[in-house]
Each structure stands twice: as C-alpha cells, then as structure tokens.
Amino acid sequence: MTRPGLPKLIATDLDGTLVRSDDTVSAYTHGVLDRVRAAGIPVVGATGRGPRLAELTRNDIRAADYLVMAGGGRVVDQSDPAGPVVLRDERLARDVLARLLADLEAEVGPLTVMVEASDEHDAPLWGDYHPSWPYPDRFEARTRDECLAVDVIKAFARTADHHVDVLLETARRIVPPEVATLTQAGLGFVEICPPGVDKASGLTVVAQQLGVDPAEVLVFGDMPNDLPMFEWAGWARVAVANAHPLVRAAADEVTLRNDDDGVAVYLDRLLSR
C-alpha cells in the first residue's frame, strides 16, 4: 500500500531532467528511485526517446515499472516477470507526413528532416543530417522519398532561419492536432508525432492499467514536450531549475538542476517527511 500523503504514481522525463549533462544518472538518484519503489509507488520513465533506445533508457531509469517512450507513442509494462509487454505502439502514416512537410515548407522554406522509422536496438535516424544533431553515431543519410516510404514513429524538422519555438508555433498554426502532435524537446528540432500522442496520453495508458487517477500522479520535466503531462497530472508538477521558461511557468514547484540531482533531492525530501 502507498503511504498516506504520497502520490500513487511518479513519472519523470529523462534527458535534461533525470539525466545529467554528461549523459549519466548518479548512484544517488538510482538509490532514491529504488526507495520510491520500496514505498510502493510505481515509477515511470516518460521520454521522447524512441523504442530503438529502450536499452539505454532502462539503464538510465533502472527502477522504472513502465516506460512511456517516443513522446507517448510507445508504452511498455516492465513489471511482468515474463518480460516487457507493449501496451501502446503508434505510427504516423507516411502520406500524412508527406503532406504535412509540404504544407510546412510552403510556409517556412526548406526543412532539414529526419525520421525515426525503426524500433530495432540502436537503429539510426534517417534523413538530412544537421551538425547540431547531438547523436551523429545513430544517423543514416537518406533521401526524402526514402524517408517517406514507410510509416514512422516520429519525425524531426528544423530550418536555418527559425528558432525552434518560433517554428513550433508556426507549425501548430498550419497543422491541426488531429493530423499530428507537434512539440519540441530541446534538441533544436520540432518533433512530429502521430495525432493524439503525447506524454499525457502515454501516461493515461499506465494510469488505467494501475487504476490510478491523474490527480494522484507526480511528474517531473524540463521541456515543452513535458507540458501535456504537467497539464494532466494533479498531485504535483515539478520542473528542474534548468527547465524551459514555459515549463517553469506551468510547474507547481521548481527543484534543483538536473546536474544537481534535482529529481532525486525532491523525492528524497518527500520520502523523508
């Protein structure tokens, strides 16, 4: 049983929130998350990372009972002794993506586009490489036609002339939410996900599985792709100090930076009350 005064589910973003700038998670953070689970509270890793990075994700949040990946498009139950169970797997149709990109380029000019099409371990992104992309070892140059030959998990787009927040605002004006979900996760690219896919809809799958009300969920985040789960969760919405201004504004509380183990410090204090 969950102890009184504590949330019944805790979900945290990874990169920029739980994971430090050197791409590591401290032993202290792992230990605090283990204490969370020992208190009877399920832990969810809620990340924009696609299923191709599932192994890396499990290593970064070893205590997770569930993973909400690809910004909500892939939900995995890790609590089954028989092995991980996929509860949700959404794709964006290739023809929808092609029309969307054409409409957006008509408004903003040429786009640098990458797609995440494969869920195989460490599979590369395909498309137009941009030097700002931080993971060149997981990238394969392909033509736009090749990228649009299959349905995708998500797509990434940027221009040379627009700040990502400006491009996101423009894209949302052009692309209706019933066509695709648009967000950004701090990588300099607008992320294009299937319609109805965000971290809140992914967490809804987990909450329904567990019989938990959103009002009983505590969430942590740092970027605009975390805002849907901030709007959805009701126990508390906590931003790390390095969070995007929109996320800080939406938060009930602000904890320390990711590099200072802000999530773990907050949870340590919560468990020690």
Side-chain angles (χ1 to χ4, degrees):
M1 294 291 291
T2 302
R3 288 185 288 171
L6 294 174
K8 292 189 177 178
L9 183 68
I10 292 172
T12 180
D13 171 57
L14 298 184
D15 299 301
T17 301
L18 193 77
V19 180
R20 298 179 294 189
S21 299
D22 63 358
D23 296 328
T24 65
V25 177
S26 71
Y28 168 64
T29 291
H30 285 303
V32 171
L33 290 174
D34 286 339
R35 287 174 57 209
V36 169
R37 291 189 74 243
I41 307 171
V43 174
V44 184
T47 178
R49 299 177 186 177
R52 67 199 179 93
L53 301 178
E55 185 175 312
L56 174 66
T57 301
R58 292 188 185 104
N59 185 63
D60 283 343
I61 186 162
R62 298 167 196 162
D65 301 277
Y66 293 83
L67 296 178
V68 171
M69 303 191 72
R74 174 70 65 94
V75 179
V76 182
D77 178 355
Q78 302 199 120
S79 65
D80 192 320
V85 178
V86 176
L87 303 178
R88 187 188 203 195
D89 184 10
E90 300 289 341
R91 302 276 171 149
L92 181 62
R94 67 195 86 175
D95 57 329
V96 172
L97 179 59
R99 290 195 302 271
L100 181 161
L101 292 173
D103 290 345
L104 191 52
E105 286 189 317
E107 179 74 17
V108 302
L111 293 167
T112 295
V113 175
M114 302 184 299
V115 301
E116 185 166 7
S118 175
D119 57 7
E120 294 182 2
H121 172 65
D122 265 355
L125 297 183
W126 302 343
D128 311 314
Y129 180 68
H130 191 278
S132 69
W133 184 250
Y135 311 109
D137 55 325
R138 295 191 178 102
F139 177 81
E140 181 178 313
R142 293 207 182 186
T143 67
R144 181 76 61 87
D145 286 345
E146 288 174 317
C147 291
L148 296 175
V150 296
D151 297 343
V152 303
I153 296 165
K154 70 159 71 170
F156 302 80
R158 65 168 293 151
T159 75
D161 303 321
H162 298 77
H163 185 276
V164 63
D165 287 333
V166 175
L167 181 60
L168 177 58
E169 183 179 350
T170 302
R172 284 178 169 167
R173 176 169 50 82
I174 294 169
V175 181
E178 60 269 20
V179 172
T181 298
L182 305 172
T183 189
Q184 73 103 341
L187 295 170
F189 286 72
V190 167
E191 300 193 4
I192 305 166
C193 299
V197 165
D198 57 31
K199 291 188 180 183
S201 65
L203 285 171
T204 296
V205 174
V206 175
Q208 291 175 344
Q209 179 93 347
L210 296 173
V212 172
D213 190 280
E216 301 170 311
V217 181
L218 163 63
V219 295
F220 297 88
D222 75 313
M223 278 292 157
N225 66 331
D226 296 317
L227 288 172
M229 71 176 182
F230 271 44
E231 295 167 3
W232 174 85
W235 198 89
R237 290 70 60 96
V238 181
V240 285
N242 52 287
H244 189 285
L246 290 176
V247 178
R248 289 174 60 97
D252 301 306
E253 301 177 65
V254 177
T255 186
L256 300 176
R257 295 172 56 86
N258 63 322
D259 288 339
D260 298 320
D261 295 327
V263 172
V265 168
Y266 183 97
L267 291 174
D268 198 351
R269 290 172 179 164
L270 181 65
L271 293 171
S272 301
R273 283 180 185 172

